[in-house]
Amino acid sequence: MHRWSKLFIPTLREAPADAEVASHKFLLRAGYIRQLGAGIYNYLFLGQRSLNRIIAIVREEMDRIGQEFYLPGILPREPWEESGRWTGMGDNMFRLKDRKGAELCLGMTHEEIMTVIARGELRSYKQLPQIWYQIQTKFRDEPRPKSGLLRVRQFTMKDSYSFDIDKAGLDKSFDLHDAVYRRIFTRCGLKFVAVEADSGAMGGSQSQEFMVYTDAGEDLIASCPQCGYAANLEKATSRLDAVAELEPAGDGKPELIHTPGMGAIADIAAFLKMSPANDIKCVAYMALKRGTGGKKDAWHGVAAFLRGDHQVNETKLLGAVGASELRPMLAEELETFFHAPAGFLGPVELRHDAQPLGEGLTLIVDRALEGRKNMVCGANKLDYHLRNVTPGRDFTWTLAADIRSVNEGENCPAEGCAGKLVVGKAVEVGHIFKLGYKYSESMGARVLDENGKEVTPIMGSYGIGIERILTAAIEQANDANGFCLPASIAPFTVVVTITNVGDAALRATGEKIAAELEAAGLDVLLDDRDERAGVKFKDADLVGIPYRINVGKKAAAGQVELVTRATATSVDSALSDVVALVKKRAEEEQLLASSS
RNA sequence: CGGGGCAUGGCGCAGUCUGGUAGCGCAUCUGCUUUGGGAGCAGAGGGUCGGGAGUUCGAAUCUCCCUGCCCCGACCA
């Protein structure tokens, strides 16, 4: 029996000044966590208890499809060197040296280590498929830890890895994870959406994120209320309405116009009395190409051209050109590639490479420019623009790709759907994706297929942020007094509050009810503190326990109160019925969650 | 890494501009009263004012350097 009077639950009346988001404030106030450093937290009794319950659900569900391992958190350099990620991970990886000077790192993910195991042990197609998972502490030297447990440098992750003989097998492993993840998040009481996601620069094809909508989130999700389309903004597309083209001026050929000081698109649009949609804008970058096979890293020029009213999406751009990093071009680099300053850059007669990231400039155009005509763009000459510019006729490019971010209100990309996209903030709680051969190939994992031929197994990688489930649950259900966790992941299902411990009869009744609840298999906390009733009510509301039984004045008449935290409603119940009632409520909640 | 801010008792803050040896609320401890929504009264304990150097008779306060933390941006398989 857990008695509050004996426990360490350091609740705070006021939130520390540097907590911004709801989950951060309440995790601190409710005594779940304490900060040790930037992005480094101590998990106290209630926090650890809740995380343990989340882990139990994750483990139970993962055991349906996979086998649990436990890999080290401290890892030698060599496997990372083999995969190319020792340098690829950059400053996000914590690195250290042992007493002999050998280099090690703290694990931020475990593709390499799982692949080491696979290549050492897997020999035959008969041993496939395999799904191996672990629940492990991960370390990432985040550039900017923030928002309590949402973005931290040490956290707990369930990560799993699949090895299959072929793509069909990978599809199956992926789908198994998709189904199990849906069960996990449902059981944890999260209102989540599965969205299409970018697979990142580190390889992979199909990729899906599990997101919980909240303003505390750092990802933007575009979704269609009509057909259910949902995608991370890094991936989302839309169908654009046609733009009214400008009438050709003069002979219809590109024509130089004097535009003194009009480096901004808004200036040009106003000057020519046209929509920014008739302008071609240029965003110039230097892109980093990681050297492989002993080659050095190198920066290359990339000129991205988009519709004047569109925003470049750097994630899409990185993927399109195959680079690993971008930075804006410096003024002298602009001079080298364009012979012109920012504000007057354009694609006409711009020398560019045939292949992305060659020695010269990569010229990439957004798909929204294809088929357009009579547009306005910079002339690569200070204070001059060109009009009558038609893409394809007046300039060519290295490649065309979707490199823009969609905007709210644009048309849903789904075939035949008339919906308009809405954009919302969300936090990522899980991510599943098809890795392909990146690690198995580079690290030399091979098995023999049924014809005795050596083949490379295909891999998948699947993660769940354990702490993020807790924070997302708090973000989605909190009010001025605190938060309410789903019964499945709350540190306790029910708290029995003895309103006045000075009253021996009340005390005995509270003890009895708590014992009965425990015997019924519920996680029960008995609030037997010698505090005023108000203090105990406030604390109970704060710490997220979904049900509270007040043992007070009416106990002498055989009645107690059952308070439901989520709805702030209470019902009187006979002492003899309350245990069954709580149990029923908690079970109903779980059923409701799994049916939605 | 760029921009902004903060650092004074466990938490929230004042004091810094204008230098004079540290204060308020909450929390903690003791006693009495109170006992259904963060009680009242009385008393008590607790702070090298983030660190270092300097200016000064004297520094929380002024100067310089460093560190930590927060926010915005960049970044973030």
PDB file of all heavy atoms in Angstrom, chain A residues 13 38 144 151 314 532 541 548 561, chain B residues 34 36-38 69 72 75-77:
ATOM      1  N   ARG A  13       3.699  24.720  -5.558  1.00  0.00           N
ATOM      2  CA  ARG A  13       2.549  25.582  -5.748  1.00  0.00           C
ATOM      3  C   ARG A  13       2.744  26.452  -6.992  1.00  0.00           C
ATOM      4  O   ARG A  13       1.821  26.713  -7.731  1.00  0.00           O
ATOM      5  CB  ARG A  13       2.361  26.469  -4.521  1.00  0.00           C
ATOM      6  CG  ARG A  13       1.072  27.232  -4.562  1.00  0.00           C
ATOM      7  CD  ARG A  13       0.905  28.077  -3.337  1.00  0.00           C
ATOM      8  NE  ARG A  13       0.725  27.268  -2.148  1.00  0.00           N
ATOM      9  CZ  ARG A  13      -0.008  27.679  -1.112  1.00  0.00           C
ATOM     10  NH1 ARG A  13      -0.602  28.840  -1.142  1.00  0.00           N
ATOM     11  NH2 ARG A  13      -0.134  26.921  -0.051  1.00  0.00           N
ATOM     12  N   ALA A  38      20.832  21.165 -18.783  1.00  0.00           N
ATOM     13  CA  ALA A  38      20.050  21.450 -19.983  1.00  0.00           C
ATOM     14  C   ALA A  38      19.712  20.149 -20.695  1.00  0.00           C
ATOM     15  O   ALA A  38      20.596  19.415 -21.119  1.00  0.00           O
ATOM     16  CB  ALA A  38      20.839  22.361 -20.918  1.00  0.00           C
ATOM     17  N   ARG A 144      19.722  22.492 -29.159  1.00  0.00           N
ATOM     18  CA  ARG A 144      18.908  23.298 -28.255  1.00  0.00           C
ATOM     19  C   ARG A 144      17.871  22.434 -27.534  1.00  0.00           C
ATOM     20  O   ARG A 144      16.761  22.254 -28.020  1.00  0.00           O
ATOM     21  CB  ARG A 144      18.187  24.405 -29.018  1.00  0.00           C
ATOM     22  CG  ARG A 144      17.418  25.321 -28.102  1.00  0.00           C
ATOM     23  CD  ARG A 144      17.394  26.720 -28.623  1.00  0.00           C
ATOM     24  NE  ARG A 144      16.165  27.014 -29.341  1.00  0.00           N
ATOM     25  CZ  ARG A 144      15.038  27.367 -28.734  1.00  0.00           C
ATOM     26  NH1 ARG A 144      14.985  27.446 -27.434  1.00  0.00           N
ATOM     27  NH2 ARG A 144      13.977  27.648 -29.446  1.00  0.00           N
ATOM     28  N   ARG A 151      12.288  17.823 -25.708  1.00  0.00           N
ATOM     29  CA  ARG A 151      13.521  17.801 -26.502  1.00  0.00           C
ATOM     30  C   ARG A 151      14.688  17.782 -25.529  1.00  0.00           C
ATOM     31  O   ARG A 151      15.040  18.807 -24.958  1.00  0.00           O
ATOM     32  CB  ARG A 151      13.577  19.009 -27.429  1.00  0.00           C
ATOM     33  CG  ARG A 151      14.812  19.089 -28.238  1.00  0.00           C
ATOM     34  CD  ARG A 151      14.598  19.823 -29.551  1.00  0.00           C
ATOM     35  NE  ARG A 151      15.090  19.018 -30.642  1.00  0.00           N
ATOM     36  CZ  ARG A 151      14.410  18.125 -31.329  1.00  0.00           C
ATOM     37  NH1 ARG A 151      13.168  17.914 -31.061  1.00  0.00           N
ATOM     38  NH2 ARG A 151      14.953  17.439 -32.273  1.00  0.00           N
ATOM     39  N   GLU A 314      13.569  23.337 -46.863  1.00  0.00           N
ATOM     40  CA  GLU A 314      14.965  22.898 -46.908  1.00  0.00           C
ATOM     41  C   GLU A 314      15.114  21.382 -46.800  1.00  0.00           C
ATOM     42  O   GLU A 314      16.054  20.808 -47.325  1.00  0.00           O
ATOM     43  CB  GLU A 314      15.789  23.638 -45.835  1.00  0.00           C
ATOM     44  CG  GLU A 314      15.847  25.133 -46.146  1.00  0.00           C
ATOM     45  CD  GLU A 314      16.814  25.901 -45.263  1.00  0.00           C
ATOM     46  OE1 GLU A 314      17.439  25.291 -44.376  1.00  0.00           O
ATOM     47  OE2 GLU A 314      16.940  27.126 -45.470  1.00  0.00           O
ATOM     48  N   ARG A 532      -4.792  19.788   5.427  1.00  0.00           N
ATOM     49  CA  ARG A 532      -6.184  20.181   5.252  1.00  0.00           C
ATOM     50  C   ARG A 532      -6.720  19.558   3.968  1.00  0.00           C
ATOM     51  O   ARG A 532      -5.969  19.287   3.039  1.00  0.00           O
ATOM     52  CB  ARG A 532      -6.277  21.705   5.180  1.00  0.00           C
ATOM     53  CG  ARG A 532      -5.781  22.363   6.447  1.00  0.00           C
ATOM     54  CD  ARG A 532      -5.620  23.846   6.260  1.00  0.00           C
ATOM     55  NE  ARG A 532      -6.917  24.496   6.000  1.00  0.00           N
ATOM     56  CZ  ARG A 532      -7.753  24.857   6.964  1.00  0.00           C
ATOM     57  NH1 ARG A 532      -7.446  24.640   8.231  1.00  0.00           N
ATOM     58  NH2 ARG A 532      -8.895  25.436   6.666  1.00  0.00           N
ATOM     59  N   ASP A 541      -5.509  16.889  -7.851  1.00  0.00           N
ATOM     60  CA  ASP A 541      -5.834  17.437  -9.175  1.00  0.00           C
ATOM     61  C   ASP A 541      -4.577  17.697  -9.985  1.00  0.00           C
ATOM     62  O   ASP A 541      -4.568  17.594 -11.198  1.00  0.00           O
ATOM     63  CB  ASP A 541      -6.610  18.757  -9.040  1.00  0.00           C
ATOM     64  CG  ASP A 541      -8.044  18.533  -8.604  1.00  0.00           C
ATOM     65  OD1 ASP A 541      -8.493  17.372  -8.633  1.00  0.00           O
ATOM     66  OD2 ASP A 541      -8.700  19.514  -8.233  1.00  0.00           O
ATOM     67  N   ARG A 548     -10.425   9.857  -7.977  1.00  0.00           N
ATOM     68  CA  ARG A 548     -10.189  10.164  -6.564  1.00  0.00           C
ATOM     69  C   ARG A 548     -11.419   9.775  -5.770  1.00  0.00           C
ATOM     70  O   ARG A 548     -12.553  10.046  -6.183  1.00  0.00           O
ATOM     71  CB  ARG A 548      -9.931  11.653  -6.394  1.00  0.00           C
ATOM     72  CG  ARG A 548      -9.675  12.072  -4.968  1.00  0.00           C
ATOM     73  CD  ARG A 548      -9.242  13.519  -4.901  1.00  0.00           C
ATOM     74  NE  ARG A 548     -10.356  14.417  -4.657  1.00  0.00           N
ATOM     75  CZ  ARG A 548     -10.599  15.527  -5.330  1.00  0.00           C
ATOM     76  NH1 ARG A 548      -9.818  15.894  -6.318  1.00  0.00           N
ATOM     77  NH2 ARG A 548     -11.629  16.275  -5.038  1.00  0.00           N
ATOM     78  N   GLU A 561     -17.341   9.880  -2.034  1.00  0.00           N
ATOM     79  CA  GLU A 561     -17.466  10.554  -3.328  1.00  0.00           C
ATOM     80  C   GLU A 561     -16.446  10.002  -4.290  1.00  0.00           C
ATOM     81  O   GLU A 561     -15.282   9.842  -3.932  1.00  0.00           O
ATOM     82  CB  GLU A 561     -17.143  12.043  -3.160  1.00  0.00           C
ATOM     83  CG  GLU A 561     -18.311  12.946  -2.967  1.00  0.00           C
ATOM     84  CD  GLU A 561     -17.848  14.330  -2.543  1.00  0.00           C
ATOM     85  OE1 GLU A 561     -16.638  14.631  -2.642  1.00  0.00           O
ATOM     86  OE2 GLU A 561     -18.694  15.093  -2.106  1.00  0.00           O
TER      87      GLU A 561
ATOM     88  P     U B  34     -10.221  24.568  17.796  1.00  0.00           P
ATOM     89  OP1   U B  34     -11.644  24.695  18.163  1.00  0.00           O
ATOM     90  OP2   U B  34      -9.482  23.322  18.127  1.00  0.00           O
ATOM     91  O5'   U B  34     -10.080  24.820  16.240  1.00  0.00           O
ATOM     92  C5'   U B  34     -10.796  25.867  15.604  1.00  0.00           C
ATOM     93  C4'   U B  34     -10.420  25.960  14.156  1.00  0.00           C
ATOM     94  O4'   U B  34      -8.973  25.998  14.023  1.00  0.00           O
ATOM     95  C3'   U B  34     -10.824  24.772  13.289  1.00  0.00           C
ATOM     96  O3'   U B  34     -12.178  24.864  12.872  1.00  0.00           O
ATOM     97  C2'   U B  34      -9.865  24.911  12.108  1.00  0.00           C
ATOM     98  O2'   U B  34     -10.289  25.908  11.213  1.00  0.00           O
ATOM     99  C1'   U B  34      -8.585  25.387  12.803  1.00  0.00           C
ATOM    100  N1    U B  34      -7.658  24.278  13.086  1.00  0.00           N
ATOM    101  C2    U B  34      -6.921  23.774  12.026  1.00  0.00           C
ATOM    102  O2    U B  34      -7.023  24.198  10.890  1.00  0.00           O
ATOM    103  N3    U B  34      -6.074  22.750  12.346  1.00  0.00           N
ATOM    104  C4    U B  34      -5.886  22.183  13.587  1.00  0.00           C
ATOM    105  O4    U B  34      -5.081  21.269  13.720  1.00  0.00           O
ATOM    106  C5    U B  34      -6.683  22.767  14.637  1.00  0.00           C
ATOM    107  C6    U B  34      -7.523  23.762  14.362  1.00  0.00           C
ATOM    108  P     G B  36     -13.664  20.844   6.676  1.00  0.00           P
ATOM    109  OP1   G B  36     -14.175  22.212   6.486  1.00  0.00           O
ATOM    110  OP2   G B  36     -14.555  19.792   7.167  1.00  0.00           O
ATOM    111  O5'   G B  36     -12.980  20.329   5.321  1.00  0.00           O
ATOM    112  C5'   G B  36     -12.103  21.172   4.578  1.00  0.00           C
ATOM    113  C4'   G B  36     -12.613  21.301   3.154  1.00  0.00           C
ATOM    114  O4'   G B  36     -12.853  19.959   2.649  1.00  0.00           O
ATOM    115  C3'   G B  36     -13.955  22.030   3.038  1.00  0.00           C
ATOM    116  O3'   G B  36     -14.042  22.709   1.797  1.00  0.00           O
ATOM    117  C2'   G B  36     -14.973  20.911   3.027  1.00  0.00           C
ATOM    118  O2'   G B  36     -16.149  21.226   2.350  1.00  0.00           O
ATOM    119  C1'   G B  36     -14.199  19.832   2.261  1.00  0.00           C
ATOM    120  N9    G B  36     -14.644  18.481   2.564  1.00  0.00           N
ATOM    121  C8    G B  36     -14.623  17.838   3.774  1.00  0.00           C
ATOM    122  N7    G B  36     -15.104  16.631   3.711  1.00  0.00           N
ATOM    123  C5    G B  36     -15.470  16.488   2.385  1.00  0.00           C
ATOM    124  C6    G B  36     -16.063  15.393   1.719  1.00  0.00           C
ATOM    125  O6    G B  36     -16.382  14.300   2.191  1.00  0.00           O
ATOM    126  N1    G B  36     -16.276  15.658   0.383  1.00  0.00           N
ATOM    127  C2    G B  36     -15.957  16.829  -0.239  1.00  0.00           C
ATOM    128  N2    G B  36     -16.234  16.896  -1.530  1.00  0.00           N
ATOM    129  N3    G B  36     -15.403  17.859   0.360  1.00  0.00           N
ATOM    130  C4    G B  36     -15.193  17.615   1.663  1.00  0.00           C
ATOM    131  P     G B  37     -13.191  23.945   1.446  1.00  0.00           P
ATOM    132  OP1   G B  37     -12.852  24.687   2.672  1.00  0.00           O
ATOM    133  OP2   G B  37     -13.859  24.624   0.323  1.00  0.00           O
ATOM    134  O5'   G B  37     -11.885  23.226   0.868  1.00  0.00           O
ATOM    135  C5'   G B  37     -10.570  23.760   1.104  1.00  0.00           C
ATOM    136  C4'   G B  37      -9.931  24.098  -0.207  1.00  0.00           C
ATOM    137  O4'   G B  37     -10.021  22.948  -1.106  1.00  0.00           O
ATOM    138  C3'   G B  37     -10.587  25.264  -0.951  1.00  0.00           C
ATOM    139  O3'   G B  37      -9.562  25.977  -1.647  1.00  0.00           O
ATOM    140  C2'   G B  37     -11.446  24.588  -2.012  1.00  0.00           C
ATOM    141  O2'   G B  37     -11.614  25.370  -3.170  1.00  0.00           O
ATOM    142  C1'   G B  37     -10.598  23.352  -2.328  1.00  0.00           C
ATOM    143  N9    G B  37     -11.347  22.227  -2.875  1.00  0.00           N
ATOM    144  C8    G B  37     -12.484  21.663  -2.393  1.00  0.00           C
ATOM    145  N7    G B  37     -12.878  20.641  -3.113  1.00  0.00           N
ATOM    146  C5    G B  37     -11.927  20.551  -4.129  1.00  0.00           C
ATOM    147  C6    G B  37     -11.818  19.640  -5.200  1.00  0.00           C
ATOM    148  O6    G B  37     -12.558  18.702  -5.488  1.00  0.00           O
ATOM    149  N1    G B  37     -10.725  19.902  -5.990  1.00  0.00           N
ATOM    150  C2    G B  37      -9.838  20.911  -5.755  1.00  0.00           C
ATOM    151  N2    G B  37      -8.837  21.007  -6.618  1.00  0.00           N
ATOM    152  N3    G B  37      -9.909  21.759  -4.758  1.00  0.00           N
ATOM    153  C4    G B  37     -10.982  21.525  -3.989  1.00  0.00           C
ATOM    154  P     G B  38      -8.787  27.055  -0.662  1.00  0.00           P
ATOM    155  OP1   G B  38      -9.546  27.529   0.509  1.00  0.00           O
ATOM    156  OP2   G B  38      -8.267  27.998  -1.667  1.00  0.00           O
ATOM    157  O5'   G B  38      -7.608  26.174  -0.103  1.00  0.00           O
ATOM    158  C5'   G B  38      -6.694  25.589  -1.004  1.00  0.00           C
ATOM    159  C4'   G B  38      -5.414  25.309  -0.271  1.00  0.00           C
ATOM    160  O4'   G B  38      -4.530  24.615  -1.153  1.00  0.00           O
ATOM    161  C3'   G B  38      -4.693  26.576   0.209  1.00  0.00           C
ATOM    162  O3'   G B  38      -3.977  26.209   1.374  1.00  0.00           O
ATOM    163  C2'   G B  38      -3.678  26.799  -0.926  1.00  0.00           C
ATOM    164  O2'   G B  38      -2.501  27.450  -0.448  1.00  0.00           O
ATOM    165  C1'   G B  38      -3.339  25.370  -1.318  1.00  0.00           C
ATOM    166  N9    G B  38      -2.867  25.096  -2.653  1.00  0.00           N
ATOM    167  C8    G B  38      -3.072  25.720  -3.857  1.00  0.00           C
ATOM    168  N7    G B  38      -2.460  25.130  -4.856  1.00  0.00           N
ATOM    169  C5    G B  38      -1.802  24.047  -4.255  1.00  0.00           C
ATOM    170  C6    G B  38      -0.980  23.030  -4.799  1.00  0.00           C
ATOM    171  O6    G B  38      -0.654  22.857  -5.957  1.00  0.00           O
ATOM    172  N1    G B  38      -0.542  22.159  -3.837  1.00  0.00           N
ATOM    173  C2    G B  38      -0.852  22.247  -2.498  1.00  0.00           C
ATOM    174  N2    G B  38      -0.335  21.322  -1.713  1.00  0.00           N
ATOM    175  N3    G B  38      -1.624  23.164  -1.955  1.00  0.00           N
ATOM    176  C4    G B  38      -2.054  24.030  -2.902  1.00  0.00           C
ATOM    177  P     C B  69      23.446  24.137 -18.850  1.00  0.00           P
ATOM    178  OP1   C B  69      23.120  22.708 -18.738  1.00  0.00           O
ATOM    179  OP2   C B  69      24.090  24.659 -20.067  1.00  0.00           O
ATOM    180  O5'   C B  69      22.126  24.991 -18.611  1.00  0.00           O
ATOM    181  C5'   C B  69      21.248  24.666 -17.550  1.00  0.00           C
ATOM    182  C4'   C B  69      20.232  25.756 -17.359  1.00  0.00           C
ATOM    183  O4'   C B  69      20.906  27.015 -17.081  1.00  0.00           O
ATOM    184  C3'   C B  69      19.366  26.095 -18.566  1.00  0.00           C
ATOM    185  O3'   C B  69      18.319  25.161 -18.754  1.00  0.00           O
ATOM    186  C2'   C B  69      18.856  27.476 -18.186  1.00  0.00           C
ATOM    187  O2'   C B  69      17.866  27.393 -17.189  1.00  0.00           O
ATOM    188  C1'   C B  69      20.115  28.097 -17.567  1.00  0.00           C
ATOM    189  N1    C B  69      20.900  28.870 -18.549  1.00  0.00           N
ATOM    190  C2    C B  69      20.456  30.170 -18.847  1.00  0.00           C
ATOM    191  O2    C B  69      19.438  30.608 -18.285  1.00  0.00           O
ATOM    192  N3    C B  69      21.140  30.912 -19.741  1.00  0.00           N
ATOM    193  C4    C B  69      22.223  30.414 -20.328  1.00  0.00           C
ATOM    194  N4    C B  69      22.876  31.182 -21.201  1.00  0.00           N
ATOM    195  C5    C B  69      22.699  29.084 -20.053  1.00  0.00           C
ATOM    196  C6    C B  69      22.003  28.356 -19.160  1.00  0.00           C
ATOM    197  P     C B  72      10.950  29.195 -27.882  1.00  0.00           P
ATOM    198  OP1   C B  72       9.571  28.798 -28.233  1.00  0.00           O
ATOM    199  OP2   C B  72      12.007  28.176 -27.753  1.00  0.00           O
ATOM    200  O5'   C B  72      11.463  30.295 -28.920  1.00  0.00           O
ATOM    201  C5'   C B  72      10.660  31.417 -29.251  1.00  0.00           C
ATOM    202  C4'   C B  72      11.387  32.289 -30.249  1.00  0.00           C
ATOM    203  O4'   C B  72      12.534  32.913 -29.616  1.00  0.00           O
ATOM    204  C3'   C B  72      11.993  31.564 -31.444  1.00  0.00           C
ATOM    205  O3'   C B  72      11.051  31.262 -32.446  1.00  0.00           O
ATOM    206  C2'   C B  72      13.029  32.575 -31.909  1.00  0.00           C
ATOM    207  O2'   C B  72      12.422  33.650 -32.591  1.00  0.00           O
ATOM    208  C1'   C B  72      13.567  33.078 -30.572  1.00  0.00           C
ATOM    209  N1    C B  72      14.742  32.291 -30.150  1.00  0.00           N
ATOM    210  C2    C B  72      15.984  32.596 -30.726  1.00  0.00           C
ATOM    211  O2    C B  72      16.047  33.522 -31.552  1.00  0.00           O
ATOM    212  N3    C B  72      17.081  31.886 -30.363  1.00  0.00           N
ATOM    213  C4    C B  72      16.964  30.912 -29.469  1.00  0.00           C
ATOM    214  N4    C B  72      18.066  30.236 -29.139  1.00  0.00           N
ATOM    215  C5    C B  72      15.718  30.571 -28.872  1.00  0.00           C
ATOM    216  C6    C B  72      14.638  31.285 -29.245  1.00  0.00           C
ATOM    217  P     C B  75      18.042  25.002 -40.710  1.00  0.00           P
ATOM    218  OP1   C B  75      18.521  24.653 -42.059  1.00  0.00           O
ATOM    219  OP2   C B  75      16.597  24.985 -40.423  1.00  0.00           O
ATOM    220  O5'   C B  75      18.742  24.039 -39.649  1.00  0.00           O
ATOM    221  C5'   C B  75      20.122  23.711 -39.759  1.00  0.00           C
ATOM    222  C4'   C B  75      20.558  22.933 -38.538  1.00  0.00           C
ATOM    223  O4'   C B  75      20.213  23.691 -37.352  1.00  0.00           O
ATOM    224  C3'   C B  75      19.842  21.600 -38.328  1.00  0.00           C
ATOM    225  O3'   C B  75      20.432  20.550 -39.079  1.00  0.00           O
ATOM    226  C2'   C B  75      19.999  21.386 -36.834  1.00  0.00           C
ATOM    227  O2'   C B  75      21.295  20.940 -36.507  1.00  0.00           O
ATOM    228  C1'   C B  75      19.825  22.813 -36.309  1.00  0.00           C
ATOM    229  N1    C B  75      18.420  23.093 -35.946  1.00  0.00           N
ATOM    230  C2    C B  75      17.967  22.672 -34.699  1.00  0.00           C
ATOM    231  O2    C B  75      18.766  22.070 -33.949  1.00  0.00           O
ATOM    232  N3    C B  75      16.684  22.927 -34.348  1.00  0.00           N
ATOM    233  C4    C B  75      15.868  23.575 -35.180  1.00  0.00           C
ATOM    234  N4    C B  75      14.626  23.793 -34.778  1.00  0.00           N
ATOM    235  C5    C B  75      16.309  24.013 -36.455  1.00  0.00           C
ATOM    236  C6    C B  75      17.579  23.761 -36.796  1.00  0.00           C
ATOM    237  P     C B  76      19.520  19.411 -39.693  1.00  0.00           P
ATOM    238  OP1   C B  76      20.426  18.483 -40.386  1.00  0.00           O
ATOM    239  OP2   C B  76      18.382  20.011 -40.423  1.00  0.00           O
ATOM    240  O5'   C B  76      18.927  18.702 -38.399  1.00  0.00           O
ATOM    241  C5'   C B  76      19.770  17.945 -37.540  1.00  0.00           C
ATOM    242  C4'   C B  76      18.981  17.446 -36.359  1.00  0.00           C
ATOM    243  O4'   C B  76      18.422  18.587 -35.658  1.00  0.00           O
ATOM    244  C3'   C B  76      17.749  16.610 -36.701  1.00  0.00           C
ATOM    245  O3'   C B  76      18.100  15.249 -36.911  1.00  0.00           O
ATOM    246  C2'   C B  76      16.873  16.790 -35.473  1.00  0.00           C
ATOM    247  O2'   C B  76      17.303  15.974 -34.412  1.00  0.00           O
ATOM    248  C1'   C B  76      17.167  18.253 -35.115  1.00  0.00           C
ATOM    249  N1    C B  76      16.137  19.157 -35.684  1.00  0.00           N
ATOM    250  C2    C B  76      14.952  19.338 -34.969  1.00  0.00           C
ATOM    251  O2    C B  76      14.792  18.741 -33.897  1.00  0.00           O
ATOM    252  N3    C B  76      14.001  20.174 -35.472  1.00  0.00           N
ATOM    253  C4    C B  76      14.206  20.803 -36.630  1.00  0.00           C
ATOM    254  N4    C B  76      13.252  21.605 -37.080  1.00  0.00           N
ATOM    255  C5    C B  76      15.410  20.626 -37.369  1.00  0.00           C
ATOM    256  C6    C B  76      16.341  19.808 -36.868  1.00  0.00           C
ATOM    257  P     A B  77      17.981  14.627 -38.426  1.00  0.00           P
ATOM    258  OP1   A B  77      19.314  14.782 -39.087  1.00  0.00           O
ATOM    259  OP2   A B  77      16.781  15.189 -39.045  1.00  0.00           O
ATOM    260  O5'   A B  77      17.744  13.080 -38.201  1.00  0.00           O
ATOM    261  C5'   A B  77      18.874  12.249 -38.203  1.00  0.00           C
ATOM    262  C4'   A B  77      18.774  11.260 -39.329  1.00  0.00           C
ATOM    263  O4'   A B  77      19.093   9.994 -38.778  1.00  0.00           O
ATOM    264  C3'   A B  77      17.363  11.121 -39.934  1.00  0.00           C
ATOM    265  O3'   A B  77      17.442  10.643 -41.270  1.00  0.00           O
ATOM    266  C2'   A B  77      16.796  10.039 -39.068  1.00  0.00           C
ATOM    267  O2'   A B  77      15.715   9.364 -39.635  1.00  0.00           O
ATOM    268  C1'   A B  77      18.009   9.118 -38.902  1.00  0.00           C
ATOM    269  N9    A B  77      17.931   8.264 -37.758  1.00  0.00           N
ATOM    270  C8    A B  77      18.914   7.858 -36.901  1.00  0.00           C
ATOM    271  N7    A B  77      18.539   7.036 -35.969  1.00  0.00           N
ATOM    272  C5    A B  77      17.202   6.884 -36.209  1.00  0.00           C
ATOM    273  C6    A B  77      16.211   6.131 -35.546  1.00  0.00           C
ATOM    274  N6    A B  77      16.453   5.393 -34.486  1.00  0.00           N
ATOM    275  N1    A B  77      14.955   6.168 -36.051  1.00  0.00           N
ATOM    276  C2    A B  77      14.745   6.930 -37.127  1.00  0.00           C
ATOM    277  N3    A B  77      15.597   7.692 -37.828  1.00  0.00           N
ATOM    278  C4    A B  77      16.819   7.616 -37.305  1.00  0.00           C
TER     279        A B  77
END
